[in-house]
Amino acid sequence: MRIKYRKSSAFHCNAGSRCSISVVLWSILACILMIHFIPLPHQKNEESRLRLCDRLCTREFEVVEEENFRLPPPRGKRNPRAVKRRGPGKQHTVIDEFLDESSDLRPFFFPDQKLAIWPARDGNDSKYFYPGRLWMDTDGNPIQAHGGAILFDERTETYYWYGENKDGPTYHAHPKGTARVDVIGVNCYSSKDLWTWKNEGVVLPGVESNFTHDLHRSNVLERPKVIYNDKTSNYVMWMHIDDANYTKASVGVAISDSPLGPFTYLRRIRPHSCDSRDMTIFKDDDQNAYLIYSSDDNSELHVSRLTDDYLDVTREMQRILIGQHREAPAVFKHKATYYMITSGCTGWAPNRAMAHAAESIMGPWETIGNPCIGGNRVFRVTTFFSQSAFVVPLRGHSGVFIFMADRWNPSELRDSRYVWLPLTVGGVADEPLEYNFGFPVWSKVSIFWHRRWRLPVG
Ligand code: GAL
C-alpha cells in the first residue's frame, strides 16, 4: 500500500508539490546551464587574456607597412636571357627586373648572407621574421624546405616543416623547359617556436640508380605535405610527382610511423584519372582529409576526399574554380568556413594571389579578392614577390595564421627564399560576390606585408 501511495504521489501530486518538483527541475537545469555557459573566474581570466592577446597581436599584425623602391632605368645592356624571355621590343616590367639575376635590385629581393635570420647566432631574444632574407637552421645552413608545409605533432608537441630540398645546381633540361633542380628529396626541420629550426635530414630521398622510379633524380617532386592519421598512427605524405616536362602530372603517397621518417614511397596516382600538378592536403576537424589539386591543364582545381587511411582518394570529388587557372593552393579553416589562397599560373614568376572561401570544402568556392595588404601596388600584385605554399594556424590565437610562401629564384633555385607573413580573418571582404540580405557572406582574408615581425610572446 505504502509503495502504491508513494508511486501515486509521484505521478498524481497536488498543485503545491507539482510546483515544488518543477522548481527543483528548473533549478537543476539552471545549474547545468550555469556550469556550461558561465565560466569559472580562472576560465574567465584566461579567456579574456587570450581575447586581449588576440586583439593586440591582430592590431600589431595589421599595421600597414609601405615599401618604396624605384625600377632602375633600362640599361643599355640587359641580361641576354632576360631579353630573350621578354622579346626585344617588349616593355620592361618590375617582374623582369625581379627575374633578372644581374639587376641592381637583386639585393633588395634576395638580401645577402650578412642579413640572414640566424637563430643560433642571434640568440633567442630576437625571434623576428624577415620575409625574403636567408634563414639559417641551427647548424648555420640555409633552410632547404621549399614549396613546404608545417605539421604540428600533438604527440611530440613539435612543429615539423617539410619541403623540397633544392640544394643542387639549377639547369634547363630542355632549351624551352623550366628551370629545375634534380630531385634530392624531402627535407624535414623541427621546431618548438616556428623560428628556430633544426635540420632533421632528408626524410624521403630521391633515387639515384633506378631510372624508372618516380623519385629518380631526373624527375620532379614538389610541394610535399604531411598529415597524421589518428586511426592508423601513420604520418602520410602527399606530393606532386612529375617528369622534367611536367607531363606525368600525378600525385605520390608515402608513409612513416614517425614524423622524422624515413618515409616509404608507396605509389603515384592520377586522381580520378585526371592530371594533377600543384596540390595540397587539408585535414579537417572531423579527421576527414582532402586532396586539393590543379587539374585540366591548371584551368581548374579538384577537391577529393581521401580514404580513411589517407592513402588514396575516394570517389567523392568536386571540380572548383573552373576556368580560373589557379595553382599553389593553401587551405585553412576558421569558424566553420574554409578558406584557400592560390596563385595564378606563371611558373616561377610571381603573380597576384587570390583568396577563396566556401561553406563546405567540397564547394561551391567563391573568389573573394586579393588578400595582400601593404608594401606597395607592385608588392600586392606579386604576392610580395612570392607564391603561396601553406597556411599555418597560430595555436591559441583564433583567426590568426601564418601565410607561408616561396620567393622563387629561378636562376638559382637553391637560393629561393621564404616569405612568412601574418594572415588574419575578419572584417568585410573586398569582393563579396554574393550578398545575403545585404550582408557580405564572407569575412576578409588579409595578408599584411611586414619587413620584420614576430609572433606574440608565449
Ligand atoms: C609553378 C609551381 C611550382 C613549380 C613551378 C615550375 O607554377 O607552383 O611548384 O612547379 O611552377 O615552373
Side-chain angles (χ1 to χ4, degrees):
M1 265 312 275
R2 250 157 68 203
I3 292 169
K4 222 176 176 181
Y5 172 71
R6 274 195 191 146
K7 264 187 167 175
S8 66
S9 75
F11 291 104
H12 306 287
C13 59
N14 58 35
S17 64
R18 208 167 28 231
C19 171
S20 60
I21 287 173
S22 58
V23 166
V24 170
L25 285 177
W26 278 111
S27 316
I28 292 171
L29 192 66
C31 282
I32 292 171
L33 284 173
M34 266 167 63
I35 290 166
H36 269 274
F37 295 111
I38 302 179
L40 298 170
H42 73 272
Q43 269 178 327
K44 213 172 169 182
N45 285 343
E46 183 57 13
E47 274 172 25
S48 50
R49 192 190 65 80
L50 283 175
R51 262 203 305 275
L52 179 69
C53 177
D54 282 348
R55 263 206 308 276
L56 288 178
C57 79
T58 314
R59 210 172 290 160
E60 202 173 297
F61 291 156
E62 293 181 352
V63 170
V64 176
E65 279 187 32
E66 298 297 329
E67 281 292 343
N68 286 314
F69 69 86
R70 282 239 183 95
L71 199 57
R75 283 161 289 161
K77 243 180 151 192
R78 296 218 65 83
N79 175 290
R81 202 182 300 153
V83 173
K84 210 165 124 204
R85 209 162 25 223
R86 212 52 214 158
K90 293 263 176 64
Q91 211 201 335
H92 183 68
T93 68
V94 71
I95 296 195
D96 296 321
E97 197 68 36
F98 170 78
L99 294 174
D100 181 352
E101 52 270 42
S102 63
S103 162
D104 294 346
L105 281 177
R106 198 68 177 170
F108 177 78
F109 297 122
F110 296 95
D112 76 12
Q113 189 157 336
K114 283 202 290 292
L115 295 172
I117 311 170
W118 204 323
R121 189 194 60 184
D122 299 345
N124 276 344
D125 53 343
S126 133
K127 297 215 169 175
Y128 280 106
F129 296 100
Y130 290 87
R133 288 194 186 181
L134 266 175
W135 194 348
M136 303 306 195
D137 63 19
T138 50
D139 298 329
N141 298 314
I143 294 174
Q144 283 291 334
H146 309 280
I150 285 182
L151 165 77
F152 178 75
D153 184 45
E154 307 276 350
R155 282 142 299 279
T156 51
E157 296 203 326
T158 303
Y159 294 97
Y160 295 96
W161 179 359
Y162 301 92
E164 303 157 35
N165 182 338
K166 287 190 134 27
D167 200 7
T170 298
Y171 68 98
H172 291 254
H174 309 283
K176 286 198 171 163
T178 183
R180 59 167 278 118
V181 168
D182 280 350
V183 176
I184 298 168
V186 177
N187 268 1
C188 173
Y189 292 82
S190 63
S191 173
K192 294 282 182 189
D193 62 5
L194 290 162
W195 187 72
T196 316
W197 292 96
K198 174 173 182 279
N199 187 355
E200 302 286 359
V202 180
V203 292
L204 179 68
V207 169
E208 289 282 332
S209 47
N210 181 357
F211 189 76
T212 61
H213 199 287
D214 289 346
L215 305 186
H216 185 262
R217 61 211 306 277
S218 60
N219 286 325
V220 163
L221 188 176
E222 290 178 343
R223 298 187 177 270
K225 308 281 173 272
V226 176
I227 49 174
Y228 179 70
N229 189 304
D230 301 75
K231 281 190 197 135
T232 62
S233 308
N234 277 324
Y235 294 81
V236 182
M237 181 189 293
W238 284 75
M239 69 216 92
H240 173 190
I241 292 293
D242 229 314
D243 56 18
N245 301 322
Y246 289 85
T247 59
K248 248 185 202 170
S250 306
V251 264
V253 194
I255 55 167
S256 171
D257 56 13
S258 159
L260 296 174
F263 281 80
T264 307
Y265 185 73
L266 298 181
R267 68 183 168 285
R268 155 178 71 93
I269 58 164
R270 274 200 154 199
H272 311 279
S273 311
C274 296
D275 57 294
S276 164
R277 292 193 171 84
D278 280 6
M279 43 66 68
T280 194
I281 294 286
F282 178 74
K283 181 177 166 184
D284 211 339
D285 311 323
D286 62 3
Q287 310 297 312
N288 279 324
Y290 300 83
L291 168 69
I292 298 102
Y293 58 97
S294 298
S295 195
D296 204 6
D297 280 332
N298 285 348
S299 65
E300 60 191 34
L301 288 162
H302 294 176
V303 185
S304 179
R305 192 166 66 75
L306 298 183
T307 50
D308 288 349
D309 57 9
Y310 301 165
L311 300 181
D312 206 345
V313 289
T314 60
R315 292 170 69 182
E316 219 179 306
M317 184 274 260
Q318 284 298 331
R319 295 163 188 273
I320 62 162
L321 306 181
I322 296 169
Q324 294 193 32
H325 299 270
R326 309 303 298 170
E327 62 177 13
V331 177
F332 57 103
K333 188 178 183 182
H334 175 59
K335 288 191 178 157
T337 300
Y338 298 87
Y339 295 93
M340 175 160 52
I341 309 290
T342 60
S343 77
C345 306
T346 52
W348 301 119
N351 57 54
R352 186 196 306 258
M354 280 291 166
H356 316 268
E359 274 173 14
S360 155
I361 192 160
M362 301 305 284
W365 282 84
E366 276 189 45
T367 300
I368 56 173
N370 181 353
C372 298
I373 294 181
N376 60 24
R377 201 194 73 82
V378 178
F379 265 57
R380 292 190 291 275
V381 298
T382 57
T383 320
F384 316 113
F385 295 93
S386 68
Q387 185 188 31
S388 41
F390 197 71
V391 173
V392 195
L394 207 54
R395 288 161 53 75
H397 297 276
S398 169
V400 187
F401 300 81
I402 301 176
F403 171 67
M404 284 172 68
D406 296 285
R407 179 172 290 173
W408 299 114
N409 180 348
S411 53
E412 187 62 23
L413 282 162
R414 58 149 66 101
D415 189 35
S416 300
R417 306 296 174 87
Y418 311 102
V419 172
W420 285 26
L421 288 167
L423 178 155
T424 60
V425 182
V428 177
D430 289 340
E431 293 175 37
L433 300 181
E434 257 181 27
Y435 280 79
N436 203 359
F437 303 110
F439 293 103
V441 178
W442 311 112
S443 293
K444 188 175 168 68
V445 175
S446 312
I447 303 170
F448 295 90
W449 170 249
H450 289 278
R451 226 163 293 144
R452 82 173 198 156
W453 66 285
R454 60 175 163 178
L455 293 171
V457 177

